[in-house]
Amino acid sequence: GEKWYGASLQNLKKNLPRAYHMVMLNDLETGRPLALLTAPLLSAARSGAAPGVAMRYLCHDGCKKAALVGAGLMNRFVILALFSECPGIESVQVYDIDGEKCKAYCREMSEFTGREVSAAGSMEEALRDADIVHTGQSNSFVLKKAWLKEGAVLLISSDVEIEQDILCDAQLVFDHKAAHDIWIQNDPQMGLPTFDALRLMEAGAIPADRVCDLGDVIEGRRLPEGVGHRIFYWMGMPVSDIALAAALYQNALDKKIGTKLRLWDKPLWK
């Protein structure tokens, strides 16, 4: 299968979605198209699941406050993961550069979850007392040490420049570090949020024993205590969208739902 993705920040000015996602599934043996899915919810759910897994393994039971940066579709799924994996969370503050959009998001998610979700007037206000921080905004920004609570867990899902003092004192956890290395090697100008961390690791400023994959933690690796922050980096892979789409397709077949599309009555040439 394949995932098709088109996006423009200018769409927001036209009251259109920022991004459009489609997934085409194909038969493994013949290549015949099996299903065409509109996939913004699918993609957002997959995107929200990765920080959710990280929360399960990196956050402690004492976490009471969380902060979300960005009031878009992905953070709708992230907040559901947050309340599922960190049931002790008592309040969530959200910041978005679009204040009205942020307030609407908070009203919607407060009603949907039955929990306290409120809009912050500034980035610093949102992050100041948060035990867990998730970044899911579409615009880049600099994450400053002065804004963060000591020991806060940082889940990075978007373009963020993290101050060097934060990175050098942190425990870094990747979804799969080798993939980040390859992406940077193939396209150094790509601008992945992990670029600064990888550069500091190469220079020896971040010790190798403070870097691992989330899979290592899931398999039982104990993370050192006394480090500044735990930072989870991930970038997502379209193959995950294909896998989820395949499960949805099978579910549609089982429930006999969906719209059947006819490719042709008879091919012009074989």
Side-chain angles (χ1 to χ4, degrees), residues 133-149:
V133 174
H134 177 262
T135 68
Q137 82 299 334
S138 56
N139 60 299
S140 180
F141 73 95
V142 177
L143 186 59
K144 299 183 178 181
K145 186 174 183 178
W147 295 347
L148 298 173
K149 179 178 180 180

Side-chain angles (χ1 to χ4, degrees), residues 188-209:
Q189 305 304 317
M190 181 178 291
L192 287 177
T194 51
F195 179 81
D196 288 338
L198 294 173
R199 179 177 54 81
L200 289 170
M201 290 163 55
E202 186 176 1
I206 299 176
D209 63 355

Side-chain angles (χ1 to χ4, degrees), residues 31-50:
R32 179 176 63 88
L34 296 176
L36 179 64
L37 299 84
T38 56
L41 289 177
L42 182 157
S43 183
R46 184 269 294 169
S47 298

Side-chain angles (χ1 to χ4, degrees), residues 56-119:
R56 176 179 297 182
Y57 290 96
L58 302 183
C59 300
H60 55 78
D61 294 338
C63 292
K64 301 295 183 184
K65 297 182 179 181
L68 304 181
V69 182
L73 183 57
M74 179 172 62
N75 265 343
R76 282 167 167 76
F77 286 92
V78 169
I79 200 170
L80 298 180
L82 173 68
F83 288 135
S84 171
E85 300 303 327
C86 303
I89 290 294
E90 298 173 350
S91 65
V92 179
Q93 284 211 305
V94 184
Y95 175 75
D96 193 283
I97 57 174
D98 185 335
E100 292 306 312
K101 177 183 177 182
C102 188
K103 292 176 183 177
Y105 168 94
C106 291
R107 288 193 298 269
E108 176 188 349
M109 299 315 296
S110 291
E111 181 177 347
F112 190 82
T113 64
R115 309 286 284 273
E116 180 185 342
V117 183
S118 58

